[in-house]
Amino acid sequence: MEKLRLTRNIGIIAHIDAGKTTTTERMLFYSGKIHVPGEVDDGTTQMDWMPEEQERGITITSAATTFEWMSHTINLIDTPGHVDFTAEVERSLRVLDGAIGIFDGVSGVEAQSETVWRQADRYRVPRLAFINKMDRTGADFEHSVKSIEARLNARPVAVQIPIGKESGFVGAVDLITMKALRFDRGSLGADVAVEEVPADIAEEAQAAREIMIEQIIEYAKGPGTDGLFKLWDSGAPLDEASVRAALREGCLSMSLTPVLLGASVRNVGVQPLMDAVCHYLPSPLDVPPVQGTHPKTGKPVSFKHEPDGPLAALAFKTAVDKHGDLTYVRVYSGAIREGDVVFNSNKGKPERINRIWHLHANHRTKAEDLSAGQIGAAVGLKFTDTGDTLCTRKKPAILEKMRFPATVISMAVEPKSVAEKDKLADTLQKIAREDPTFEWRTVEETGQIVVSGMGELHLDVIKHRMLREFNVNANVGKPRVAYRETVTKASEGEGKFQKSFGQAGKNQYGHVVLVVAPIDSSEVKFENVVPKDVIPLRFAQAVEDSVKASAQSGPLMGYPLLSLSIRLAGGSHHHADSTEVAFAAAASMAFEEAMKKAEPTILEPMMRFDVYIPEEHMGDVINDLNSRKAQIEEIGEEAGTRVIRGKVPLSRMFGYTTDLRSLTRGRGSCTMEPFKYRPVPPEELKSMTGGG
């Protein structure tokens, strides 16, 4: 239990180019994990190990590592910042206990910052904030802190203030110890000088400390805060331990967010951030027991973080490897050991653990086991996918799964020869196992293979992986919008399959009544409300498999269906003649009839955008956005730059970055993320379907 108390499972989350990987590299360097910190611009970082990452200078896949600091074991996951790879953030946050949100000292909160912050809110992950790039022209610590409060609905509490500004930035004042911290350039920041607060900012530092204490007392709740309040109210000196205890309570309860600062690329401010991870972020013992449901009864099941408890582990990522797929696992209770046979409660199948690894990016170290509170990888799991639970048969449970957004963009892929067809299919299956936001399907009418993803960059990375990493010879089409179909009203359909086959006249009988209806979520949900004596479970399963396959191709233009509820509402079976094949056929007939009456329509993806431009180009950019059917919701200002926010159909935004640069003489930039699918306007629907 002492080992658990000194464990931190954390992630680094941020907008693209805020400095996540650079900060991680410094953490590894100062902890002694690596001897030289890598640089993103040089393609030499340990955490961005894929060729695509090194060439593009961005993080594409989350990378895990472990290092020691202040007698603590820190398991860290560095996540991507680009919205196209948001699934990597989602599945990382699902298994982490704490996180560091990194923000650009000039821009403050940016578009993807909001997205990852909301993801962390959803999983109730306590956070620290780190204002990076304080050495840049235009960096403003106070503005960045205010943007966290305004745009993230958070309660930031600054525990440091900067020493110097922009190019003159050299360190920070720690408001808890009231000491100045300066970082030696000659040792790449490894040597930190602890000094008295400079006289010219002593008054400012004292005022900032008083604000910090007042905010902690106001926001945090608990014994530590009560003790701090009594000291403060009595006028007694506030000792360091009392302030830290109250600050920790506030951080763990998510009632406040401690804010630190630095410039990672200049090796300034990273060690105090590492200290803060140990001081304020939770250990596995500080988070509530993990919750799940019994796979058969649906009743709640919980697991405490106990190494000797019953096994509960979540598979949160799969990496295809030539030596066998790597399954990334977070263990919440119990332990998994090499040679163990565990139970996959989602699939209802046993799995054998062949090997266990500790991870450092793409490097591995053999481990004997993974126990409660640890993150690692297992080899040998044949049936386990992202989101599956590993447990025991004696205490089975299904832990909460991650939810991933629907794909918004597609492209056609065609093998250059018949011989390449199987290789292409095998490659696409491997990529789909790794990436839950990647989909592929074969269009029945044309035989064309269509792959779908989260954006142009996502598909471009997948294209290069197919051609280079997997050596597939294929022609790849241009990206296009990934439309979907749904229904606009509830309807019922009935299908009865009754035939005789062969000379012996073997009868086949299946009878199904389905109800389809629109729903708010982006899923296709199936529900069986028919008693098992009316339709036995094995036939109901055949119905579910059949309609979910049918839902891959909608009735209007063959796009996959979305936001749809399918309910098995009735039917009948024959004790001798009913077969799974007959029920699958009946289900297909019922589904087709119900869809015809449900007034189907086509959905298009809407994107949330932030456009950053100089004031003088406002008119031209707004006119251009209006011509693209954009819904402008807010026009603001950040660090002297105008910001236009709103929503727009993805179909209108292909090539927009190039057009924006032209309109603003290279000074404009834009970020976009998927918002939701919406029905195509009636006039466009008519033109798409030929007036049908």
Side-chain angles (χ1 to χ4, degrees):
M1 301 303 283
E2 179 66 9
K3 184 178 178 182
L4 276 178
R5 188 182 68 80
L6 296 175
T7 295
R8 299 291 183 269
N9 294 311
I10 67 167
I12 295 195
I13 58 175
H15 185 88
I16 191 170
D17 201 33
K20 295 179 304 302
T21 300
T22 300
T23 303
T24 301
E25 290 289 317
R26 269 54 184 180
M27 288 182 170
L28 296 175
F29 172 61
Y30 298 133
S31 68
K33 183 80 174 184
I34 59 177
H35 299 300
V36 179
E39 302 295 343
V40 172
D41 291 343
D42 298 336
T44 57
T45 63
Q46 297 255 335
M47 302 304 280
D48 287 347
W49 56 270
M50 293 174 62
E52 288 289 325
E53 293 176 313
Q54 293 171 348
E55 290 174 9
R56 297 171 188 266
I58 61 171
T59 301
I60 293 171
T61 182
S62 56
T65 189
T66 300
F67 58 89
E68 303 292 322
W69 187 254
M70 282 177 55
S71 302
H72 288 65
T73 298
I74 299 176
N75 299 311
L76 182 145
I77 298 180
D78 177 28
T79 67
H82 198 284
V83 66
D84 283 17
F85 310 108
T86 188
E88 293 289 327
V89 183
E90 184 81 18
R91 56 185 173 189
S92 298
L93 286 171
R94 170 63 183 84
V95 299
L96 294 172
D97 302 323
I100 301 169
I102 297 186
F103 302 90
D104 186 309
V106 178
S107 303
V109 174
E110 298 173 89
Q112 183 67 357
S113 309
E114 292 188 61
T115 300
V116 297
W117 201 267
R118 287 196 303 269
Q119 289 171 305
D121 280 340
R122 187 161 62 249
Y123 291 118
R124 299 289 302 165
V125 176
R127 273 144 281 172
L128 303 173
F130 182 65
I131 310 300
N132 193 25
K133 304 190 178 184
M134 288 300 300
D135 59 321
R136 287 182 57 200
T137 301
D140 188 330
F141 180 65
E142 188 175 347
H143 159 75
S144 296
V145 173
K146 286 180 178 178
S147 73
I148 292 173
E149 184 174 20
R151 293 190 61 182
L152 303 180
N153 195 29
R155 288 171 168 170
V157 175
V159 299
Q160 295 177 334
I161 62 168
I163 300 174
K165 190 175 182 181
E166 299 177 342
S167 61
F169 171 70
V170 293
V173 174
D174 184 329
L175 300 179
I176 297 175
T177 62
M178 287 303 284
K179 294 292 184 181
L181 307 175
R182 296 179 185 270
F183 300 80
D184 175 57
R185 289 191 178 185
S187 63
L188 299 179
D191 295 332
V192 183
V194 180
E195 305 171 351
E196 296 303 314
V197 177
D200 60 334
I201 59 171
E203 191 173 322
E204 177 191 351
Q206 187 58 44
R209 175 181 165 83
E210 290 174 8
I211 292 172
M212 176 191 74
I213 298 297
E214 289 171 3
Q215 288 178 327
I216 294 172
I217 291 171
E218 180 184 356
Y219 300 151
K221 298 291 183 288
T225 309
D226 293 342
L228 182 66
F229 173 74
K230 289 175 183 176
L231 283 173
W232 176 79
D233 193 44
S234 69
L238 303 181
D239 61 286
E240 182 181 332
S242 297
V243 177
R244 291 201 194 282
L247 193 57
R248 177 175 172 78
E249 282 180 351
C251 185
L252 295 188
S253 64
M254 293 176 56
S255 58
L256 60 79
T257 303
V259 184
L260 298 93
L261 59 92
S264 297
V265 77
R266 285 181 57 184
N267 309 303
V268 176
V270 177
Q271 295 98 316
L273 178 64
M274 298 164 73
D275 294 346
V277 167
C278 302
H279 286 311
Y280 309 125
L281 290 183
S283 76
L285 297 177
D286 295 313
V287 299
V290 66
Q291 303 296 318
T293 56
H294 194 283
K296 292 185 178 179
T297 67
K299 291 182 178 179
V301 183
S302 67
F303 297 87
K304 294 180 180 179
H305 291 81
E306 298 174 331
D308 56 353
L311 176 64
L314 187 72
F316 67 94
K317 178 175 176 174
T318 300
V320 174
D321 187 86
K322 60 185 178 182
H323 301 299
D325 289 357
L326 273 179
T327 303
Y328 287 57
V329 176
R330 161 69 194 264
V331 181
Y332 290 95
S333 173
I336 57 174
R337 299 172 181 83
E338 190 173 299
D340 278 358
V341 175
V342 299
F343 182 61
N344 181 323
S345 54
N346 296 80
K347 303 293 194 303
K349 293 179 179 291
E351 291 272 32
R352 178 174 291 279
I353 308 293
N354 290 342
R355 287 189 187 85
I356 296 173
W357 301 100
H358 291 309
L359 299 169
H360 174 58
N362 62 326
H363 302 290
R364 309 172 206 159
T365 305
K366 195 172 183 298
E368 296 300 320
D369 61 29
L370 291 175
S371 63
Q374 290 189 308
I375 293 173
V379 176
L381 306 183
K382 296 179 179 179
F383 309 106
T384 301
D385 295 316
T386 297
D388 285 356
T389 301
L390 302 176
C391 54
T392 64
R393 288 185 181 272
K394 289 183 179 180
K395 190 176 181 180
I398 295 178
L399 304 181
E400 179 190 1
K401 295 188 71 169
M402 294 78 84
R403 300 185 184 278
F404 301 108
T407 56
V408 297
I409 191 169
S410 299
M411 66 183 181
V413 181
E414 181 181 299
K416 288 186 176 180
S417 67
V418 175
E420 288 288 315
K421 188 173 182 180
D422 289 342
K423 187 176 181 181
L424 174 61
D426 181 60
T427 295
L428 296 178
Q429 285 175 346
K430 288 178 179 178
I431 295 174
R433 271 183 61 76
E434 287 189 340
D435 185 351
T437 57
F438 170 75
E439 299 172 353
W440 71 283
R441 63 191 179 97
T442 302
V443 180
E444 288 187 13
E445 294 81 3
T446 63
Q448 185 182 53
I449 293 174
V450 176
V451 300
S452 302
M454 299 304 300
E456 292 183 80
L457 177 60
H458 189 197
L459 291 188
D460 194 49
V461 168
I462 286 169
K463 178 182 76 174
H464 281 89
R465 288 193 67 197
M466 283 192 305
L467 301 179
R468 182 167 64 182
E469 183 180 332
F470 293 98
N471 298 312
V472 174
N473 292 313
N475 296 314
V476 180
K478 290 184 178 180
R480 61 192 186 193
V481 175
Y483 291 101
R484 294 290 186 264
E485 297 185 26
T486 192
V487 299
T488 58
K489 71 174 189 178
S491 68
E492 183 177 287
E494 183 175 11
K496 185 176 285 189
F497 186 86
Q498 191 170 12
K499 288 187 177 181
S500 297
F501 293 95
Q503 294 180 349
K506 169 63 177 172
N507 292 328
Q508 297 267 7
Y509 179 86
H511 176 212
V512 172
V513 177
L514 296 175
V515 175
V516 301
I519 56 175
D520 288 336
S521 75
S522 61
E523 302 169 90
V524 174
K525 290 186 175 179
F526 179 85
E527 182 185 13
N528 177 15
V529 297
V530 179
K532 59 184 178 182
D533 60 332
V534 176
I535 298 180
L537 291 179
R538 70 180 188 280
F539 299 143
Q541 184 62 53
V543 171
E544 180 177 356
D545 293 343
S546 175
V547 296
K548 284 188 173 178
S550 297
Q552 293 299 308
S553 181
L556 292 178
M557 298 187 68
Y559 296 121
L561 287 155
L562 209 65
S563 304
L564 179 70
S565 165
I566 308 167
R567 190 167 77 251
L568 176 55
S572 60
H573 83 288
H574 188 278
H575 70 281
D577 296 341
S578 286
T579 64
E580 293 173 16
V581 172
F583 267 92
S588 181
M589 295 160 59
F591 186 69
E592 184 177 354
E593 181 184 315
M595 289 299 297
K596 286 178 181 177
K597 298 186 292 184
E599 297 182 5
T601 191
I602 293 176
L603 301 171
E604 67 174 344
M606 294 290 288
M607 307 297 284
R608 194 198 312 265
F609 67 82
D610 286 16
V611 175
Y612 299 83
I613 54 170
E615 173 74 39
E616 61 263 33
H617 299 294
M618 281 281 290
D620 290 340
V621 172
I622 288 175
N623 288 337
D624 181 66
L625 286 169
N626 287 333
S627 73
R628 297 171 187 269
K629 308 288 187 185
Q631 304 165 13
I632 295 175
E633 298 173 339
E634 178 188 348
I635 299 177
E637 185 173 343
E638 290 184 8
T641 299
R642 299 308 299 267
V643 185
I644 306 171
R645 296 190 173 94
K647 300 179 182 70
V648 65
L650 174 61
S651 59
R652 306 278 181 163
M653 297 299 278
F654 284 97
Y656 179 68
T657 301
T658 301
D659 294 342
L660 179 64
R661 287 180 184 142
S662 177
L663 283 171
T664 61
R665 298 178 184 175
R667 298 172 65 194
S669 63
C670 173
T671 61
M672 287 192 298
E673 64 170 332
F675 173 57
K676 69 175 184 180
Y677 272 86
R678 69 148 195 199
V680 168
E683 63 276 10
E684 292 184 32
L685 180 63
K686 285 183 180 179
S687 66
M688 291 176 73
T689 59

